[in-house]
Amino acid sequence: MIRIGDFSKLSCVTVKTLRFYDEEGLLKPVQVDQFTGYRYYEFEQLARLHRILALRDLGFSIESIAQLLDQGLSAAQIHGMLLLRQSEIRQKVVDEEERLSRVTSWLSQIEQEDIVSEYDVVLKSAEPIRVASVRAVVPTPPDQGALWGELGSYMAEQKVRPTSVCFSLYHDDEFKEHDWDIEVCEQIQAELTPKGRVQVRALPAEAKMACTIHKGPFETIGKAYDAILKWIDVNGYHITGACREVYLSPSHDGSQVDPDTVTEIQYPVAK
Amino acid sequence: MIRIGDFSKLSCVTVKTLRFYDEEGLLKPVQVDQFTGYRYYEFEQLARLHRILALRDLGFSIESIAQLLDQGLSAAQIHGMLLLRQSEIRQKVVDEEERLSRVTSWLSQIEQEDIVSEYDVVLKSAEPIRVASVRAVVPTPPDQGALWGELGSYMAEQKVRPTSVCFSLYHDDEFKEHDWDIEVCEQIQAELTPKGRVQVRALPAEAKMACTIHKGPFETIGKAYDAILKWIDVNGYHITGACREVYLSPSHDGSQVDPDTVTEIQYPVAK
DNA sequence: TTGCTCCTCACGTCACGTGAGGTGGC
DNA sequence: TTGCTCCTCACGTCACGTGAGGTGGC
């Protein structure tokens, strides 16, 4: 029998950890002095400790290790648990590699421009949303004002107050000089009847959207698009749907020049 | 200005987290009602929140993010921090991949033998150690008894009690039928004078040793060697030095048949 | 008025690590 | 006797999550 300090050296496990495993019932010393409280271990117990370390290394929690060791699971059951862990670790490797590419993308941005970009891109999800919308081809984005007017009249006529969420969908896949296919949208709570060019439809949920925030007038929003499109490219994503330009400032009228304007650009993406 | 619930939906960050960031001073609402305590945010603050999320995603702690945002670090400083993070994440990917190979090795073991092996292999490090030893070529391992006798006499003559650590080093690279190059070792505390075949020397530290525990007589120790050698192979390691067979049971005399014998096999390894 | 939103405590998480303050063993 | 080892609390870690119990706002 050996004392906890020697057992600790033999196993490369700290004394604190051994005491913790004792408390948790994972590895009880074969004997505890009833007067001094000293813990005494057998060399044999190194085998159990090794099994604990191996399971912990695989990422099992202390509680599951305790169950696993005491219930004496069958080879088939352990096999199943290992398969599960295998896929979890694989996922973790994938996640870390994606994180790595995000770091690399930041680094290359700083190296190229010698300044930290003001546009941070993050991934979000979006819930399904019901909207009233007007879709049309207009010469350029600033010409969408008329569409907003049309939609606003409809909303007033239906006597629904717009919720604070409104945005434009840009349906073109590629950059255009002229003739942009734009859909202006207002979120609505209840079903409404379409009328004229105003449609009522539901947008599906989006699992992953790359998003960035633009502060300031629309004239300079091009920089935000540059940043997010580059991010999507460098991080190995591709665009899977229409871009949403969300007007976060209150009382959007489609032609703001207010310097306090805040706009969020959202691209549905996938790997 | 919007309330915390809406800000939470807009950002896909929980209300609890937003309150936590407020407490930590990371992201203060622009206004807090002095009677109700309600927090009010500006859309603009989404930009700061995005930066927080981006930095958190890269693995920075809340405290470093707070410093980073408030001190307005230069592009060069951020570049440096990102390089550091990059290498940390790379290391993590490597670690997880190694963990994955350990899981895979367990799985293949179970699939082949349809039972969970009693031999768990773990990695440890070893400190430098000073030993008195006798090295010789003997027909087979059980013939090392004479070497232990020689070493024991020397220890008695020098009037040093053996510490509890004694082991054999197996210097052969490959399996042998006959003529094993074996060195039997006793740990000693202070320098001693060599005499006859007894050498006194220091073994260097080992950064990584693959270790497993064998319980029971030496006759069945072959199974432990099979298990550890297979583990080393499957996990992509190679052996970098002499194998240590450590006799953990007290009063080793080199020829035990005691069923309570505990032996640890240690192979110095590297990737 | 009702249900929804928001608030502030206080405590939990996970696997230990870090002292403080004290005692046993050679 | 001295220094080393061991002991038991009690609290800290990290980034929030989980209630409990209560109140404001439409």
Side-chain angles (χ1 to χ4, degrees), chain B residues 99-172:
Chain B
R99 191 189 304 267
L100 194 55
S101 90
R102 287 190 288 269
V103 177
T104 308
S105 130
W106 264 58
L107 277 169
S108 75
Q109 183 269 317
I110 292 179
E111 281 159 12
Q112 281 168 38
E113 303 172 28
D114 206 30
I115 195 171
V116 179
S117 167
E118 63 180 305
Y119 298 104
D120 298 301
V121 180
V122 298
L123 290 171
K124 293 180 189 174
S125 60
E127 309 252 290
I129 182 176
R130 191 203 308 267
V131 296
S133 71
V134 176
R135 180 171 177 174
V137 174
V138 295
T140 67
D143 300 311
Q144 64 184 277
L147 307 183
W148 284 108
E150 207 170 322
L151 185 57
S153 310
Y154 170 83
M155 299 285 283
E157 193 185 304
Q158 298 284 327
K159 292 184 178 123
V160 290
R161 278 168 309 183
T163 65
S164 55
V165 181
C166 69
F167 52 90
S168 302
L169 289 173
Y170 290 85
H171 289 286
D172 296 301

Side-chain angles (χ1 to χ4, degrees), chain B:
Chain B
M1 287 201 305
I2 53 175
R3 299 200 300 187
I4 198 167
D6 293 326
F7 197 61
S8 162
K9 274 175 207 145
L10 226 47
S11 59
C12 291
V13 169
T14 69
V15 169
K16 292 284 178 183
T17 299
L18 290 173
R19 283 205 268 258
F20 177 66
Y21 290 167
D22 178 9
E23 267 177 45
E24 298 294 307
L26 248 192
L27 185 72
K28 292 271 180 202
V30 288
Q31 194 188 314
V32 177
D33 188 295
Q34 61 173 314
F35 299 112
T36 67
Y38 274 36
R39 293 168 176 83
Y40 293 95
Y41 293 87
E42 289 281 11
F43 291 111
E44 260 195 43
Q45 297 187 281
L46 270 178
R48 188 177 167 101
L49 183 52
H50 275 194
R51 175 138 298 179
I52 292 170
L53 295 182
L55 291 168
R56 194 188 58 171
D57 170 56
L58 300 187
F60 288 103
S61 74
I62 295 298
E63 204 189 330
S64 9
I65 295 175
Q67 285 176 10
L68 229 144
L69 291 183
D70 294 338
Q71 294 175 6
L73 295 182
S74 70
Q77 285 170 308
I78 303 225
H79 189 264
M81 296 179 82
L82 288 173
L83 279 177
L84 181 62
R85 288 264 63 220
Q86 191 179 43
S87 71
E88 285 171 1
I89 299 171
R90 281 200 182 122
Q91 186 56 51
K92 199 158 187 182
V93 169
V94 169
D95 290 347
E96 290 298 326
E97 277 168 350
E98 288 185 8
R99 191 189 304 267
L100 194 55
S101 90
R102 287 190 288 269
V103 177
T104 308
S105 130
W106 264 58
L107 277 169
S108 75
Q109 183 269 317
I110 292 179
E111 281 159 12
Q112 281 168 38
E113 303 172 28
D114 206 30
I115 195 171
V116 179
S117 167
E118 63 180 305
Y119 298 104
D120 298 301
V121 180
V122 298
L123 290 171
K124 293 180 189 174
S125 60
E127 309 252 290
I129 182 176
R130 191 203 308 267
V131 296
S133 71
V134 176
R135 180 171 177 174
V137 174
V138 295
T140 67
D143 300 311
Q144 64 184 277
L147 307 183
W148 284 108
E150 207 170 322
L151 185 57
S153 310
Y154 170 83
M155 299 285 283
E157 193 185 304
Q158 298 284 327
K159 292 184 178 123
V160 290
R161 278 168 309 183
T163 65
S164 55
V165 181
C166 69
F167 52 90
S168 302
L169 289 173
Y170 290 85
H171 289 286
D172 296 301
D173 285 343
E174 48 194 50
F175 178 76
K176 295 218 165 170
E177 286 281 331
H178 302 291
D179 300 335
W180 293 61
D181 182 0
I182 297 179
E183 180 173 5
V184 303
C185 307
E186 289 269 9
Q187 185 185 17
I188 55 176
Q189 303 297 358
E191 196 65 43
L192 292 179
T193 317
K195 185 180 169 196
R197 292 210 297 182
V198 178
Q199 320 170 47
V200 172
R201 68 189 193 104
L203 299 181
E206 297 287 353
K208 278 190 182 174
M209 308 227 291
C211 303
T212 198
I213 296 286
H214 173 69
K215 296 194 274 190
F218 289 135
E219 295 139 39
T220 54
I221 206 167
K223 289 190 297 176
Y225 276 99
D226 291 347
I228 194 170
L229 289 170
K230 186 176 167 195
W231 186 97
I232 290 169
D233 181 37
V234 173
N235 284 283
Y237 285 96
H238 62 269
I239 297 164
T240 60
C243 166
R244 301 186 188 180
E245 199 175 84
V246 185
Y247 308 109
L248 295 171
S249 307
S251 67
H252 173 66
D253 67 355
S255 62
Q256 272 145 317
V257 287
D258 184 351
D260 291 338
T261 300
V262 178
T263 310
E264 178 163 18
I265 302 167
Q266 305 178 330
Y267 274 101
V269 293
K271 276 277 176 188

Side-chain angles (χ1 to χ4, degrees), chain A residues 125-226:
Chain A
S125 59
E127 308 254 289
I129 182 176
R130 192 201 309 267
V131 296
S133 71
V134 177
R135 180 171 177 175
V137 174
V138 295
T140 66
D143 301 310
Q144 64 184 277
L147 308 182
W148 284 108
E150 207 170 322
L151 185 57
S153 309
Y154 169 84
M155 298 286 282
E157 195 185 303
Q158 298 284 327
K159 291 183 178 125
V160 290
R161 278 168 308 182
T163 64
S164 55
V165 180
C166 69
F167 53 90
S168 302
L169 288 172
Y170 290 86
H171 288 286
D172 296 302
D173 285 343
E174 46 194 51
F175 177 77
K176 295 216 162 174
E177 286 282 330
H178 303 289
D179 300 336
W180 293 62
D181 182 0
I182 297 179
E183 180 173 5
V184 303
C185 307
E186 288 269 9
Q187 184 184 18
I188 54 176
Q189 302 298 357
E191 197 65 41
L192 293 179
T193 318
K195 185 181 168 197
R197 292 210 295 182
V198 178
Q199 322 171 44
V200 171
R201 68 187 193 104
L203 299 180
E206 296 286 354
K208 278 189 181 174
M209 307 228 291
C211 303
T212 198
I213 295 287
H214 173 68
K215 297 194 275 190
F218 289 135
E219 296 139 37
T220 55
I221 206 168
K223 290 190 296 175
Y225 276 98
D226 291 346

